[in-house]
Structure formats: structure tokens, C-alpha cells
Amino acid sequence: MFKRILIPTDGSSASQRAILAGASLARETGAEIIGLTVTPPFHTLSADPEVLESTPAQYEQQARQQAERILADVESAAREAQVPYRIEHASGDSPYEMIISTARDAGCDLILMASHGRKGIKGLLLGSETQKVLVHSAIPVLVYR
């Protein structure tokens, strides 16, 4: 059924649940998992305290370490499910675009991602990367809640 499943994660508890569901689906279908996390690039002008307190080199190192921690959950779930996997760390201002381009470039036939379930004005103001992926992706998207 599926051969390659992209599982984007931000390290949240919702993403943790999606990772476990994705690993289970991969085991059942014989698919490979590709875990992805996206971090914003360093910007000279920023309101993000991590950027304001860092040099570009320090920020890159912190982002890499954070990505490793986040992606360790994908590795762990894939090993537990005994499915092939690889992990990717992308940097970009638009996570949904990075998710779609990674899925396309890796030849994924499914994107499985979490939804935080924000509704109303909070969802509108914060935006939803999941919603953006749903709207813009030509690759099927399975949203896990």
C-alpha cells in the first residue's frame, strides 16, 4: 500500500502520538519512515529569544541539537516497530513548504502528521502547518489527532 511515509514532527505530544501511529502503519504496510523536523533559519532581526541571545554558529548548533532530540523519537518508534527509517532536519521559514518539498523529493506516497486541534481565533491567528500542508500538497495527507 504505502512505500514511504513522511512523518513531520515538532516534538509536541500530538506529534509523539502521530509518530507512534505512523510507525504502526509502516509496520503493517511494509513502508519506510522518514522523520522530519523543520527549524527556522537564523535571522539578524528577530523577536525569538533564542536568536537574540545567539551568534549564528551558536544558533545553528542549538537548532541541530534540538532537532536531534526531536527526531530521536522517530528513530525509537521505527526501531521498536522494526521498520526502515531515516531522519531529516530542514531549515526554513515556511515549515509546510519544507514538509511538502521533502516528501516530494524523497518520493513519499503519504504524509502522516499531527494536528494540534486549534480552533476559532487561536487557530486563525496562529495558522496551522497541517492545514497548509493539506491545502498545498499533491501527496495524500493523513492527519492524526
Side-chain angles (χ1 to χ4, degrees):
M1 181 175 215
F2 298 112
K3 301 220 185 294
R4 196 164 291 126
I5 302 170
L6 179 72
I7 305 175
T9 177
D10 60 4
S12 67
S13 60
S15 286
Q16 301 299 324
R17 292 188 299 274
I19 290 168
L20 295 175
S24 178
L25 179 62
R27 183 181 60 241
E28 292 172 18
T29 61
E32 173 188 10
I33 291 174
I34 299 174
L36 171 70
T37 194
V38 180
T39 55
F42 183 87
H43 292 287
T44 305
L45 299 174
S46 177
D48 184 349
E50 288 183 28
V51 174
L52 293 173
E53 298 171 359
S54 301
T55 65
Q58 290 170 326
Y59 177 79
E60 291 301 320
Q61 181 180 4
Q62 291 167 349
R64 199 171 32 257
Q65 290 171 341
Q66 181 180 6
E68 288 171 3
R69 282 191 303 275
I70 290 170
L71 291 168
D73 294 325
V74 175
E75 285 186 88
S76 176
R79 285 185 181 146
E80 180 76 24
Q82 299 179 337
V83 297
Y85 71 92
R86 69 179 198 248
I87 56 171
E88 301 280 337
H89 173 212
S91 178
D93 286 318
S94 184
Y96 84 92
E97 289 177 345
M98 300 305 296
I99 291 167
I100 293 169
S101 67
T102 300
R104 184 183 55 244
D105 294 347
C108 294
D109 46 11
L110 180 68
I111 300 171
L112 189 150
M113 61 190 303
S115 173
H116 292 284
R118 294 184 186 108
K119 295 180 180 163
I121 195 72
K122 190 173 186 180
L124 181 64
L125 292 175
L126 294 175
S128 166
E129 295 306 316
T130 303
Q131 180 65 31
K132 292 173 190 172
V133 171
L134 282 166
V135 169
H136 297 284
S137 178
I139 299 167
V141 179
L142 176 61
V143 179
Y144 190 82
R145 281 197 183 191

